[in-house]
Amino acid sequence: MKSSAPFLPTTRKQMKQLGWDQCDIIIVTGDAYVDHPGFGCAIIGRVLESQGFRVGIIPQPDWRNKDAFKILGKPGLFFGVTAGNMDSMVNHYTSERHVRDKDAYSPDGQAGLRPNRASIVYAQKCREAYPGSYIILGGIECGLRRFAHYDFWSDKIRRSILFDAKADLLIYGNAERAIVEMARLLINQQSPQYTKIPGIAFSCSEIPETYQIQEFSDMDRKTLDLKQPSSVIKLSSFEEIKVNPKYLSQATYIAYMATKPGAPSLIQKHDNRFLWVNAPPQPLTTQEMDCIYNLPYARLPHPMYGKSKIPAFEMIKDSITLMRGCFGGCSFCSIAMHEGRIIQSRSVESVIKEVKAIKKQSPKFSGYISDLGGPTANMYMMGCGQLEKYLECPRLSCLYPKICKHLNTDHSPLIDLYRKVNKIPGIKGAWVASGVRYDLALKSSEYIDILARNHVGGYLKIAPEHSEAHCLKLMMKPEINTYEIFERQFKKSSQKAGKKQYLIPYMMCAHPGTDHKDMVALAQWLKNKNLKIDQVQIFLPTPLTLSTSMYVSGKHFNNFKKSVSVPKGGRARSIQKMILRYHDKNNWDEIRKILYRLKLSHLIGYGKDCLVPKNIKLLQI
Ligand code: SF4
């Protein structure tokens, strides 16, 4: 077995030091190269290395110069292209479309080191550098743009990124197995049987006759049959979606229902070609998760960055991923379409091994693990009790509207893990910074006790998102009284532990179905609790979420007959944010105007329900 490189090479000199004349695979990424399992590029690079492939990295190349893509020579097998840990447009612009002045994934937070739509630009430059190279797209930008999709930044429907990037293949979601399989096939010069590799997308000119095509009109989506392996499911075409946005809703809804391991592939016509998207891979086993997270990462940024700090690394360097996936199904979130709804957990032993690696390798380690979590903090080792019927399950969420009776909600494996981590010599504590799913946490008072006692340092961030029932319904989030029950229990548990601790609720504005009156109601809810929140998330219609389909079509995500009002345009969206920040003097004039317009002027004044005071200047005149 080959030994691993201290860092994957980024120059020819480093390749030479490893005794390589060529890389098998070159990963081009929009992020700085940090050899840490919190960075997708490091994971994929190390996984391929562990399978004997020679992997080089070109981080943040100058995309204006094709020579920057030649620095490692031509790869023997393929270029792997990724925008990095974030979609490059989300990385560059706020939800108010303002340009961000910092990039957390670049040295010293420097902005401007990657292009807009980085995957498309990088793929084009790889081709220019070495015409005829095989190009595989990956990462979140490509994964969530795998179908025809809405692009908020250009306010347009765009084709699948596979076509715009003119790449050979796209791997979405958990890419480890698929990328190794592709590398093996290409090294053996076998032409891949694309239809047989889960988790990939490719283009083709026709659908083989052996496949039966499941087609849907507006009304008959309920006939979707996921247990027909010899069929393909046809989504509305790019051209149809472009002309009529309701087809985006239809395609998104079907893609959500059908993106399950073992389901038929999805096809979508783009002009005279078909996009073919295979079902996602079977979930990673605990053993595979352990292997992936215990690879020999340096757990540091590449030495080329010298003393520069990479903010995202500083934030996550001492945190640990316990699991992947989420079965929560919030309609504005795309995790399920990326990592899947089935939870994939690591073993306790593997987590302990990583804690010890942090102790040994992390610079200036404080003794505290900054997060023991994942997409959601408390889904470790949980899952469906009848997974053999998973393809038949008609629900989009295992938690909403009620926690499914088939869901195993046992928190004891997580409690056991927390206890074992806390006992490791030299560990002063481990925080939980990932979002706690509070409806699920209410299933275990022991969990809330241990969370409050040992894993919260004064404040716990929680995301109820809204107070109004009809808004929460469209977000597929639990009703606000569930949050309030959790709040009481958390307070009690904190008191039992002799601690004074608080919840910080995260709220969202401008989600489809949320109007200004709803925001006033939410502001009153906050005021009644004496809460003044500074961080308000303005809903961002990112590709491939159910909420984005509502934003575009103005229709409910699974009922086209039901219209949904959508706050669109910068002003309408930022007014909603302003209302939530009722305590900010700078917003008072604007909020008064809105309250008059909404015929809610009784909320201006000094009573306990009032959101803003009267305008003293006007009174004086
Ligand atoms: S049956 Fe219940 S627990 Fe299983 S996948 Fe469906 S909703 Fe989730």
Side-chain angles (χ1 to χ4, degrees), residues 195-222:
T195 54
K196 302 235 177 299
I197 305 173
I200 66 165
F202 54 93
S203 90
C204 55
S205 55
E206 57 188 27
I207 307 301
E209 276 174 14
T210 44
Y211 285 92
Q212 188 202 326
I213 298 180
Q214 297 191 47
E215 281 193 72
F216 302 92
S217 70
D218 289 359
M219 305 310 299
D220 65 359
R221 289 168 300 152
K222 290 199 174 72

PDB file of all heavy atoms in Angstrom, residues 195-222:
ATOM      1  N   THR A 195     -25.368   4.156 -17.156  1.00  0.00           N
ATOM      2  CA  THR A 195     -26.683   3.952 -16.538  1.00  0.00           C
ATOM      3  C   THR A 195     -26.593   3.105 -15.275  1.00  0.00           C
ATOM      4  O   THR A 195     -27.527   3.032 -14.501  1.00  0.00           O
ATOM      5  CB  THR A 195     -27.649   3.263 -17.517  1.00  0.00           C
ATOM      6  OG1 THR A 195     -27.017   2.077 -17.973  1.00  0.00           O
ATOM      7  CG2 THR A 195     -28.001   4.161 -18.683  1.00  0.00           C
ATOM      8  N   LYS A 196     -25.450   2.455 -15.072  1.00  0.00           N
ATOM      9  CA  LYS A 196     -25.335   1.532 -13.935  1.00  0.00           C
ATOM     10  C   LYS A 196     -24.638   2.156 -12.721  1.00  0.00           C
ATOM     11  O   LYS A 196     -24.468   1.508 -11.695  1.00  0.00           O
ATOM     12  CB  LYS A 196     -24.542   0.283 -14.361  1.00  0.00           C
ATOM     13  CG  LYS A 196     -25.129  -0.471 -15.531  1.00  0.00           C
ATOM     14  CD  LYS A 196     -25.352  -1.928 -15.170  1.00  0.00           C
ATOM     15  CE  LYS A 196     -26.001  -2.731 -16.272  1.00  0.00           C
ATOM     16  NZ  LYS A 196     -27.321  -2.287 -16.671  1.00  0.00           N
ATOM     17  N   ILE A 197     -24.178   3.402 -12.846  1.00  0.00           N
ATOM     18  CA  ILE A 197     -23.416   3.993 -11.730  1.00  0.00           C
ATOM     19  C   ILE A 197     -24.309   4.975 -10.958  1.00  0.00           C
ATOM     20  O   ILE A 197     -24.682   6.027 -11.485  1.00  0.00           O
ATOM     21  CB  ILE A 197     -22.149   4.713 -12.247  1.00  0.00           C
ATOM     22  CG1 ILE A 197     -21.313   3.745 -13.084  1.00  0.00           C
ATOM     23  CG2 ILE A 197     -21.335   5.279 -11.083  1.00  0.00           C
ATOM     24  CD1 ILE A 197     -20.128   4.382 -13.782  1.00  0.00           C
ATOM     25  N   PRO A 198     -24.662   4.660  -9.717  1.00  0.00           N
ATOM     26  CA  PRO A 198     -25.538   5.564  -8.959  1.00  0.00           C
ATOM     27  C   PRO A 198     -24.874   6.915  -8.696  1.00  0.00           C
ATOM     28  O   PRO A 198     -23.646   7.009  -8.586  1.00  0.00           O
ATOM     29  CB  PRO A 198     -25.754   4.818  -7.631  1.00  0.00           C
ATOM     30  CG  PRO A 198     -25.371   3.406  -7.891  1.00  0.00           C
ATOM     31  CD  PRO A 198     -24.322   3.443  -8.962  1.00  0.00           C
ATOM     32  N   GLY A 199     -25.703   7.961  -8.622  1.00  0.00           N
ATOM     33  CA  GLY A 199     -25.209   9.280  -8.218  1.00  0.00           C
ATOM     34  C   GLY A 199     -24.543  10.075  -9.319  1.00  0.00           C
ATOM     35  O   GLY A 199     -23.855  11.053  -9.029  1.00  0.00           O
ATOM     36  N   ILE A 200     -24.743   9.662 -10.580  1.00  0.00           N
ATOM     37  CA  ILE A 200     -24.110  10.440 -11.654  1.00  0.00           C
ATOM     38  C   ILE A 200     -25.163  10.978 -12.629  1.00  0.00           C
ATOM     39  O   ILE A 200     -26.284  10.470 -12.705  1.00  0.00           O
ATOM     40  CB  ILE A 200     -23.058   9.623 -12.450  1.00  0.00           C
ATOM     41  CG1 ILE A 200     -23.712   8.480 -13.237  1.00  0.00           C
ATOM     42  CG2 ILE A 200     -21.976   9.080 -11.533  1.00  0.00           C
ATOM     43  CD1 ILE A 200     -22.790   7.886 -14.294  1.00  0.00           C
ATOM     44  N   ALA A 201     -24.765  12.005 -13.369  1.00  0.00           N
ATOM     45  CA  ALA A 201     -25.622  12.549 -14.431  1.00  0.00           C
ATOM     46  C   ALA A 201     -24.783  12.681 -15.695  1.00  0.00           C
ATOM     47  O   ALA A 201     -23.591  13.012 -15.618  1.00  0.00           O
ATOM     48  CB  ALA A 201     -26.160  13.912 -14.017  1.00  0.00           C
ATOM     49  N   PHE A 202     -25.389  12.401 -16.821  1.00  0.00           N
ATOM     50  CA  PHE A 202     -24.678  12.503 -18.098  1.00  0.00           C
ATOM     51  C   PHE A 202     -25.695  12.884 -19.169  1.00  0.00           C
ATOM     52  O   PHE A 202     -26.904  12.930 -18.901  1.00  0.00           O
ATOM     53  CB  PHE A 202     -23.979  11.174 -18.442  1.00  0.00           C
ATOM     54  CG  PHE A 202     -24.902   9.987 -18.436  1.00  0.00           C
ATOM     55  CD1 PHE A 202     -25.524   9.557 -19.602  1.00  0.00           C
ATOM     56  CD2 PHE A 202     -25.181   9.308 -17.254  1.00  0.00           C
ATOM     57  CE1 PHE A 202     -26.391   8.471 -19.593  1.00  0.00           C
ATOM     58  CE2 PHE A 202     -26.053   8.222 -17.229  1.00  0.00           C
ATOM     59  CZ  PHE A 202     -26.660   7.812 -18.403  1.00  0.00           C
ATOM     60  N   SER A 203     -25.211  13.149 -20.367  1.00  0.00           N
ATOM     61  CA  SER A 203     -26.168  13.491 -21.423  1.00  0.00           C
ATOM     62  C   SER A 203     -26.178  12.391 -22.479  1.00  0.00           C
ATOM     63  O   SER A 203     -25.182  11.688 -22.673  1.00  0.00           O
ATOM     64  CB  SER A 203     -25.812  14.847 -22.040  1.00  0.00           C
ATOM     65  OG  SER A 203     -24.933  14.690 -23.113  1.00  0.00           O
ATOM     66  N   CYS A 204     -27.319  12.227 -23.126  1.00  0.00           N
ATOM     67  CA  CYS A 204     -27.417  11.212 -24.180  1.00  0.00           C
ATOM     68  C   CYS A 204     -28.408  11.702 -25.238  1.00  0.00           C
ATOM     69  O   CYS A 204     -29.194  12.624 -24.987  1.00  0.00           O
ATOM     70  CB  CYS A 204     -27.847   9.866 -23.602  1.00  0.00           C
ATOM     71  SG  CYS A 204     -29.364   9.914 -22.658  1.00  0.00           S
ATOM     72  N   SER A 205     -28.339  11.079 -26.401  1.00  0.00           N
ATOM     73  CA  SER A 205     -29.194  11.571 -27.490  1.00  0.00           C
ATOM     74  C   SER A 205     -30.541  10.856 -27.526  1.00  0.00           C
ATOM     75  O   SER A 205     -31.502  11.360 -28.085  1.00  0.00           O
ATOM     76  CB  SER A 205     -28.476  11.412 -28.829  1.00  0.00           C
ATOM     77  OG  SER A 205     -28.096  10.066 -28.973  1.00  0.00           O
ATOM     78  N   GLU A 206     -30.594   9.658 -26.951  1.00  0.00           N
ATOM     79  CA  GLU A 206     -31.887   8.956 -26.941  1.00  0.00           C
ATOM     80  C   GLU A 206     -31.997   8.027 -25.735  1.00  0.00           C
ATOM     81  O   GLU A 206     -30.986   7.697 -25.100  1.00  0.00           O
ATOM     82  CB  GLU A 206     -32.091   8.162 -28.227  1.00  0.00           C
ATOM     83  CG  GLU A 206     -30.986   7.176 -28.479  1.00  0.00           C
ATOM     84  CD  GLU A 206     -31.103   6.544 -29.867  1.00  0.00           C
ATOM     85  OE1 GLU A 206     -31.668   7.196 -30.778  1.00  0.00           O
ATOM     86  OE2 GLU A 206     -30.641   5.408 -30.006  1.00  0.00           O
ATOM     87  N   ILE A 207     -33.215   7.619 -25.449  1.00  0.00           N
ATOM     88  CA  ILE A 207     -33.455   6.710 -24.322  1.00  0.00           C
ATOM     89  C   ILE A 207     -33.579   5.299 -24.906  1.00  0.00           C
ATOM     90  O   ILE A 207     -34.411   5.074 -25.804  1.00  0.00           O
ATOM     91  CB  ILE A 207     -34.770   7.082 -23.587  1.00  0.00           C
ATOM     92  CG1 ILE A 207     -34.766   8.567 -23.195  1.00  0.00           C
ATOM     93  CG2 ILE A 207     -35.013   6.184 -22.372  1.00  0.00           C
ATOM     94  CD1 ILE A 207     -33.642   9.004 -22.304  1.00  0.00           C
ATOM     95  N   PRO A 208     -32.753   4.361 -24.425  1.00  0.00           N
ATOM     96  CA  PRO A 208     -32.848   3.004 -24.990  1.00  0.00           C
ATOM     97  C   PRO A 208     -34.276   2.455 -24.896  1.00  0.00           C
ATOM     98  O   PRO A 208     -34.981   2.713 -23.917  1.00  0.00           O
ATOM     99  CB  PRO A 208     -31.896   2.190 -24.103  1.00  0.00           C
ATOM    100  CG  PRO A 208     -30.992   3.190 -23.474  1.00  0.00           C
ATOM    101  CD  PRO A 208     -31.751   4.470 -23.377  1.00  0.00           C
ATOM    102  N   GLU A 209     -34.662   1.709 -25.917  1.00  0.00           N
ATOM    103  CA  GLU A 209     -36.052   1.215 -25.977  1.00  0.00           C
ATOM    104  C   GLU A 209     -36.413   0.294 -24.821  1.00  0.00           C
ATOM    105  O   GLU A 209     -37.577   0.094 -24.495  1.00  0.00           O
ATOM    106  CB  GLU A 209     -36.271   0.470 -27.296  1.00  0.00           C
ATOM    107  CG  GLU A 209     -36.613   1.425 -28.418  1.00  0.00           C
ATOM    108  CD  GLU A 209     -36.686   0.725 -29.754  1.00  0.00           C
ATOM    109  OE1 GLU A 209     -36.734  -0.528 -29.768  1.00  0.00           O
ATOM    110  OE2 GLU A 209     -36.682   1.434 -30.769  1.00  0.00           O
ATOM    111  N   THR A 210     -35.387  -0.299 -24.210  1.00  0.00           N
ATOM    112  CA  THR A 210     -35.656  -1.239 -23.111  1.00  0.00           C
ATOM    113  C   THR A 210     -36.240  -0.527 -21.885  1.00  0.00           C
ATOM    114  O   THR A 210     -36.732  -1.176 -20.969  1.00  0.00           O
ATOM    115  CB  THR A 210     -34.354  -1.944 -22.693  1.00  0.00           C
ATOM    116  OG1 THR A 210     -33.336  -0.956 -22.624  1.00  0.00           O
ATOM    117  CG2 THR A 210     -33.968  -3.045 -23.650  1.00  0.00           C
ATOM    118  N   TYR A 211     -36.147   0.785 -21.856  1.00  0.00           N
ATOM    119  CA  TYR A 211     -36.686   1.527 -20.702  1.00  0.00           C
ATOM    120  C   TYR A 211     -38.098   2.017 -20.981  1.00  0.00           C
ATOM    121  O   TYR A 211     -38.356   2.643 -22.017  1.00  0.00           O
ATOM    122  CB  TYR A 211     -35.807   2.748 -20.381  1.00  0.00           C
ATOM    123  CG  TYR A 211     -34.511   2.379 -19.713  1.00  0.00           C
ATOM    124  CD1 TYR A 211     -33.365   2.141 -20.465  1.00  0.00           C
ATOM    125  CD2 TYR A 211     -34.433   2.254 -18.331  1.00  0.00           C
ATOM    126  CE1 TYR A 211     -32.166   1.791 -19.859  1.00  0.00           C
ATOM    127  CE2 TYR A 211     -33.240   1.897 -17.714  1.00  0.00           C
ATOM    128  CZ  TYR A 211     -32.105   1.666 -18.486  1.00  0.00           C
ATOM    129  OH  TYR A 211     -30.933   1.321 -17.884  1.00  0.00           O
ATOM    130  N   GLN A 212     -38.971   1.738 -20.034  1.00  0.00           N
ATOM    131  CA  GLN A 212     -40.322   2.292 -20.125  1.00  0.00           C
ATOM    132  C   GLN A 212     -40.270   3.717 -19.548  1.00  0.00           C
ATOM    133  O   GLN A 212     -39.594   3.948 -18.538  1.00  0.00           O
ATOM    134  CB  GLN A 212     -41.238   1.414 -19.283  1.00  0.00           C
ATOM    135  CG  GLN A 212     -42.700   1.726 -19.419  1.00  0.00           C
ATOM    136  CD  GLN A 212     -43.458   1.220 -18.202  1.00  0.00           C
ATOM    137  OE1 GLN A 212     -43.109   0.200 -17.627  1.00  0.00           O
ATOM    138  NE2 GLN A 212     -44.484   1.961 -17.815  1.00  0.00           N
ATOM    139  N   ILE A 213     -40.954   4.648 -20.189  1.00  0.00           N
ATOM    140  CA  ILE A 213     -40.871   6.044 -19.719  1.00  0.00           C
ATOM    141  C   ILE A 213     -42.107   6.396 -18.895  1.00  0.00           C
ATOM    142  O   ILE A 213     -43.236   6.267 -19.369  1.00  0.00           O
ATOM    143  CB  ILE A 213     -40.731   7.013 -20.915  1.00  0.00           C
ATOM    144  CG1 ILE A 213     -39.426   6.706 -21.662  1.00  0.00           C
ATOM    145  CG2 ILE A 213     -40.741   8.470 -20.433  1.00  0.00           C
ATOM    146  CD1 ILE A 213     -39.158   7.574 -22.870  1.00  0.00           C
ATOM    147  N   GLN A 214     -41.890   6.815 -17.645  1.00  0.00           N
ATOM    148  CA  GLN A 214     -43.007   7.297 -16.808  1.00  0.00           C
ATOM    149  C   GLN A 214     -43.150   8.795 -17.059  1.00  0.00           C
ATOM    150  O   GLN A 214     -42.232   9.561 -16.773  1.00  0.00           O
ATOM    151  CB  GLN A 214     -42.717   7.072 -15.325  1.00  0.00           C
ATOM    152  CG  GLN A 214     -42.575   5.622 -14.913  1.00  0.00           C
ATOM    153  CD  GLN A 214     -42.553   5.479 -13.386  1.00  0.00           C
ATOM    154  OE1 GLN A 214     -43.375   6.059 -12.680  1.00  0.00           O
ATOM    155  NE2 GLN A 214     -41.612   4.698 -12.884  1.00  0.00           N
ATOM    156  N   GLU A 215     -44.297   9.180 -17.607  1.00  0.00           N
ATOM    157  CA  GLU A 215     -44.520  10.604 -17.898  1.00  0.00           C
ATOM    158  C   GLU A 215     -45.660  11.123 -17.045  1.00  0.00           C
ATOM    159  O   GLU A 215     -46.551  10.372 -16.681  1.00  0.00           O
ATOM    160  CB  GLU A 215     -44.877  10.787 -19.371  1.00  0.00           C
ATOM    161  CG  GLU A 215     -43.659  10.731 -20.263  1.00  0.00           C
ATOM    162  CD  GLU A 215     -43.953  11.228 -21.664  1.00  0.00           C
ATOM    163  OE1 GLU A 215     -44.133  12.443 -21.823  1.00  0.00           O
ATOM    164  OE2 GLU A 215     -43.999  10.386 -22.569  1.00  0.00           O
ATOM    165  N   PHE A 216     -45.664  12.431 -16.787  1.00  0.00           N
ATOM    166  CA  PHE A 216     -46.682  12.992 -15.896  1.00  0.00           C
ATOM    167  C   PHE A 216     -47.294  14.244 -16.475  1.00  0.00           C
ATOM    168  O   PHE A 216     -46.586  15.129 -16.950  1.00  0.00           O
ATOM    169  CB  PHE A 216     -46.066  13.326 -14.531  1.00  0.00           C
ATOM    170  CG  PHE A 216     -45.451  12.124 -13.902  1.00  0.00           C
ATOM    171  CD1 PHE A 216     -44.115  11.831 -14.104  1.00  0.00           C
ATOM    172  CD2 PHE A 216     -46.227  11.248 -13.178  1.00  0.00           C
ATOM    173  CE1 PHE A 216     -43.552  10.695 -13.572  1.00  0.00           C
ATOM    174  CE2 PHE A 216     -45.674  10.105 -12.643  1.00  0.00           C
ATOM    175  CZ  PHE A 216     -44.335   9.826 -12.839  1.00  0.00           C
ATOM    176  N   SER A 217     -48.607  14.294 -16.386  1.00  0.00           N
ATOM    177  CA  SER A 217     -49.256  15.567 -16.675  1.00  0.00           C
ATOM    178  C   SER A 217     -49.355  16.278 -15.325  1.00  0.00           C
ATOM    179  O   SER A 217     -48.914  15.762 -14.305  1.00  0.00           O
ATOM    180  CB  SER A 217     -50.640  15.334 -17.261  1.00  0.00           C
ATOM    181  OG  SER A 217     -51.474  14.818 -16.259  1.00  0.00           O
ATOM    182  N   ASP A 218     -49.979  17.448 -15.305  1.00  0.00           N
ATOM    183  CA  ASP A 218     -50.068  18.207 -14.055  1.00  0.00           C
ATOM    184  C   ASP A 218     -50.675  17.396 -12.922  1.00  0.00           C
ATOM    185  O   ASP A 218     -50.288  17.495 -11.787  1.00  0.00           O
ATOM    186  CB  ASP A 218     -50.965  19.434 -14.254  1.00  0.00           C
ATOM    187  CG  ASP A 218     -50.269  20.448 -15.116  1.00  0.00           C
ATOM    188  OD1 ASP A 218     -49.128  20.173 -15.507  1.00  0.00           O
ATOM    189  OD2 ASP A 218     -50.873  21.488 -15.383  1.00  0.00           O
ATOM    190  N   MET A 219     -51.688  16.618 -13.248  1.00  0.00           N
ATOM    191  CA  MET A 219     -52.533  16.068 -12.203  1.00  0.00           C
ATOM    192  C   MET A 219     -52.145  14.676 -11.719  1.00  0.00           C
ATOM    193  O   MET A 219     -52.542  14.271 -10.648  1.00  0.00           O
ATOM    194  CB  MET A 219     -53.999  16.010 -12.690  1.00  0.00           C
ATOM    195  CG  MET A 219     -54.541  17.332 -13.163  1.00  0.00           C
ATOM    196  SD  MET A 219     -54.250  18.657 -11.986  1.00  0.00           S
ATOM    197  CE  MET A 219     -55.146  18.056 -10.578  1.00  0.00           C
ATOM    198  N   ASP A 220     -51.410  13.935 -12.516  1.00  0.00           N
ATOM    199  CA  ASP A 220     -51.298  12.514 -12.171  1.00  0.00           C
ATOM    200  C   ASP A 220     -49.964  12.153 -11.520  1.00  0.00           C
ATOM    201  O   ASP A 220     -49.511  11.028 -11.621  1.00  0.00           O
ATOM    202  CB  ASP A 220     -51.539  11.655 -13.420  1.00  0.00           C
ATOM    203  CG  ASP A 220     -50.454  11.868 -14.470  1.00  0.00           C
ATOM    204  OD1 ASP A 220     -49.558  12.688 -14.223  1.00  0.00           O
ATOM    205  OD2 ASP A 220     -50.521  11.213 -15.511  1.00  0.00           O
ATOM    206  N   ARG A 221     -49.361  13.116 -10.832  1.00  0.00           N
ATOM    207  CA  ARG A 221     -48.046  12.827 -10.257  1.00  0.00           C
ATOM    208  C   ARG A 221     -48.107  11.726  -9.213  1.00  0.00           C
ATOM    209  O   ARG A 221     -47.114  11.109  -8.888  1.00  0.00           O
ATOM    210  CB  ARG A 221     -47.458  14.100  -9.647  1.00  0.00           C
ATOM    211  CG  ARG A 221     -47.053  15.093 -10.708  1.00  0.00           C
ATOM    212  CD  ARG A 221     -46.758  16.422 -10.099  1.00  0.00           C
ATOM    213  NE  ARG A 221     -47.923  16.933  -9.416  1.00  0.00           N
ATOM    214  CZ  ARG A 221     -47.859  17.752  -8.388  1.00  0.00           C
ATOM    215  NH1 ARG A 221     -46.712  18.122  -7.929  1.00  0.00           N
ATOM    216  NH2 ARG A 221     -48.960  18.193  -7.818  1.00  0.00           N
ATOM    217  N   LYS A 222     -49.286  11.484  -8.691  1.00  0.00           N
ATOM    218  CA  LYS A 222     -49.395  10.475  -7.633  1.00  0.00           C
ATOM    219  C   LYS A 222     -49.180   9.064  -8.171  1.00  0.00           C
ATOM    220  O   LYS A 222     -49.048   8.120  -7.419  1.00  0.00           O
ATOM    221  CB  LYS A 222     -50.752  10.595  -6.940  1.00  0.00           C
ATOM    222  CG  LYS A 222     -50.833  11.868  -6.115  1.00  0.00           C
ATOM    223  CD  LYS A 222     -51.930  11.798  -5.067  1.00  0.00           C
ATOM    224  CE  LYS A 222     -51.899  13.017  -4.178  1.00  0.00           C
ATOM    225  NZ  LYS A 222     -52.352  14.225  -4.855  1.00  0.00           N
TER     226      LYS A 222
END
